[in-house]
Amino acid sequence: MDILKQPLITEKVSAMNEKGVYGFIVEKTAKKPEIKNAVEKTYGVDVVSIRTMRYAAKHKTRYTKNKVVSGFTNAFKKAIVEVADGQVIDFYGEI
């Protein structure tokens, strides 16, 4: 089971990157110590604090020519990770 699914690349999180705060989409069942270990192992940084948020699935409806299509968006968990001063995570290094 891979705990870190993908980094969050949004305007708000990118502004926080300058302060040493990074966002990740993580596995829904992941706990804070597991997220901390995964970030430290993957990126080689020291994690100071972690905040997590769970987002529920939202009901969506589309009206097409033939019928009404109803469904749900995906539920996910988001982690905001603060690293130690002077340490940086480079998401764009491999591009």
Side-chain angles (χ1 to χ4, degrees):
M1 175 172 95
D2 192 25
I3 293 175
L4 299 176
K5 291 186 176 182
Q6 66 185 25
L8 275 175
I9 310 292
T10 62
E11 188 173 344
K12 189 172 186 178
V13 174
S14 296
M16 294 189 322
N17 287 352
E18 299 170 1
K19 300 174 187 171
V21 179
Y22 300 91
F24 296 94
I25 302 289
V26 296
E27 187 68 32
K28 283 189 278 190
T29 58
K31 307 286 188 259
K32 287 184 181 182
E34 296 171 349
I35 297 168
K36 179 180 178 180
N37 291 336
V39 171
E40 289 177 345
K41 182 180 175 186
T42 305
Y43 295 103
V45 295
D46 296 325
V47 175
V48 176
S49 69
I50 296 177
R51 298 183 304 252
T52 58
M53 293 150 260
R54 292 187 61 179
Y55 287 87
K58 295 181 182 176
H59 188 266
K60 297 283 186 176
T61 303
R62 274 187 318 173
Y63 299 96
T64 63
K65 288 183 193 178
N66 298 331
K67 61 182 177 178
V68 176
V69 179
S70 294
F72 289 89
T73 61
N74 294 331
F76 63 96
K77 186 172 188 175
K78 182 165 70 170
I80 305 297
V81 178
E82 182 179 353
V83 298
D85 289 338
Q87 295 185 343
V88 177
I89 295 175
D90 186 19
F91 294 134
Y92 303 108
E94 300 171 357
I95 296 177

